[in-house]
Every structure is written in structure tokens, then in C-alpha cells.
Amino acid sequence: GAGVSQSPSNKVTEKGKDVELRCDPISGHTALYWYRQSLGQGLEFLIYFQGNSAPDKSGLPSDRFSAERTGGSVSTLTIQRTQQEDSAVYLCASSSPDSLNSPLHFGNGTRLTVT
Amino acid sequence: LAKTTQPISMDSYEGQEVNITCSHNNIATNDYITWYQQFPSQGPRFIIQGYKTKVTNEVASLFIPADRKSSTLSLPRVSLSDTAVYYCLVGFRDNYGQNFVFGPGTRLSVLP
């Protein structure tokens, strides 16, 4: 079946512009995560949505970052007034409601370059 | 948050068994141990998960001692295509948040 889909796959933007990154999780998956990965580094947690609960925003690095999940499905990560240090690959993952520790299924990410 | 320590890199040769050990001294009762594999330009992919003792699937085995303060991912007879970064995660999630972090992982290079 279809996996996690992210768009765009690549995004180049000028410093100071806003960007929106989209994630389509696997159908029926109630948990959705956003991570950020800088070149050669591990994954940095950003935000976690679980069903209708309030999202865990503890990983968002600044108030320029926000995310929403409409209808419990598609999620959008928005970065306002982008800075060069925001350049990274942004990864989305979803997981099944079968158990709270079901594995994460990742998309291939959006590579963001801020010039 | 449960913290993990893994070797930064490892080299192996085709056909060998590779064991990657992860230390997690402050693992909590509710924590699971999960391993992911990541190839360049792709998101991580789930390999195996366990809570205690030994778990085996079609691609790997996971050994967890009784104290659960470490775990070892075992890849039998690796091939060149197993060259990737391997991440060990310890933690759990619930309706209120998640308490696991991805560390830098172990970069495995399989040589011919």
C-alpha cells in the first residue's frame, strides 16, 4: 500500500520567506511526527500528533515553527521568516493505532535549502 | 528522556555477522527498544523492536539482557546493501507525548 508521502521533495527559498511542508500519512494512522535532520546528523524531534489529543510541541525550536493536522490526516509544517540554519531535511512519520509503540513509518523527507 | 549510546561507525565485510550494541542505562519500565535503518536520501526504516530477552525476524535479531541496560542488534551475513546508518531508540509514547530521541546512530560500512 501507499506509504507516507511528503511534498515537495525539495524546496529552495530565500531567507525571510515562509514555507509550508506537507505530509500525507498512511491511511488510518493516528500518530504523526515531524523530525528535522541536518546533514550527517541524527533526527531532531519537532512535534507529535496523537489522535485528537493536544500535540506535543516540545521539540519546536522557535515560535517561527508551527504545525497543524487537519481532520486527523494530512499535516502541514510551516516555517515563518526562514533562516539559513533552518536548512535541513524535514521528515514526517506516522504509526498505526494498533499499539502505542507501533513502529514509525517515515516518508523520504523534504530537503529545505534557505539561501 | 531515555538516552542511548552507540558506536559512531563500524566496518564489516560481506558475509560476516555484525553486532551493534546500544547502551541505555536509564531505561524505564515502560520503555521499548527499537532499531531503525536509514539509507542516504531516505527516511529511516523500522528493523526490529523488543522489550526483553530475544526477538528475531527475517532481517535481524535483537538481544536484550535481563537488566535491559543495553541491547544488541545482530545482522546475519551482511551484504553491501546493508551499508547504512542504524539508530537505536529507547522510550515509549502515549496520548500526551513521546519520550524517545534519535541519537547520531551507527554508520555501518560493509566492504567487499
Side-chain angles (χ1 to χ4, degrees), chain B residues 62-73:
Chain B
L62 179 61
F63 298 92
I64 306 168
D67 66 5
R68 305 202 323 126
K69 293 184 182 298
S70 67
S71 59
T72 299
L73 174 71

Side-chain angles (χ1 to χ4, degrees), chain A residues 6-65:
Chain A
Q6 293 188 245
S7 60
S9 54
N10 283 284
K11 176 72 175 178
V12 180
T13 190
E14 293 180 351
K15 178 181 172 181
K17 296 285 179 75
D18 297 352
V19 295
E20 283 191 354
L21 312 180
R22 177 186 168 105
C23 173
D24 280 277
I26 293 173
S27 178
H29 280 194
T30 56
L32 187 147
Y33 294 73
W34 283 98
Y35 288 88
R36 178 169 70 174
Q37 187 172 34
S38 299
L39 186 63
Q41 303 298 309
L43 280 73
E44 176 188 2
F45 166 72
L46 297 177
I47 189 168
Y48 164 56
F49 296 90
Q50 173 59 55
N52 295 322
S53 301
D56 174 1
K57 302 180 181 180
S58 59
L60 294 178
S62 78
D63 59 8
R64 296 186 295 105
F65 288 73

Side-chain angles (χ1 to χ4, degrees), chain B residues 72-85:
Chain B
T72 299
L73 174 71
S74 181
L75 305 172
R77 299 178 300 281
V78 294
S79 65
L80 296 176
S81 63
D82 293 317
T83 294
V85 178

Side-chain angles (χ1 to χ4, degrees), chain A residues 31 33 35 37 41-43 45 48 50 53 56 91 95 99-104 106-108, chain B residues 32 36 38 41-44 46 49 87 91-98 100 102-104 107:
Chain A
Y33 294 73
Y35 288 88
Q37 187 172 34
Q41 303 298 309
L43 280 73
F45 166 72
Y48 164 56
Q50 173 59 55
S53 301
D56 174 1
L91 290 159
S95 70
S99 92
L100 287 176
N101 287 295
S102 295
L104 305 183
F106 283 85
N108 285 329
Chain B
Y32 281 73
Y36 290 84
Q38 186 177 27
S41 301
Q42 295 184 21
F46 169 80
Q49 182 182 75
Y87 297 97
F92 71 95
R93 65 175 184 269
D94 57 27
N95 287 328
Y96 308 103
Q98 59 93 59
F100 50 79
F102 280 84
R107 187 172 298 275

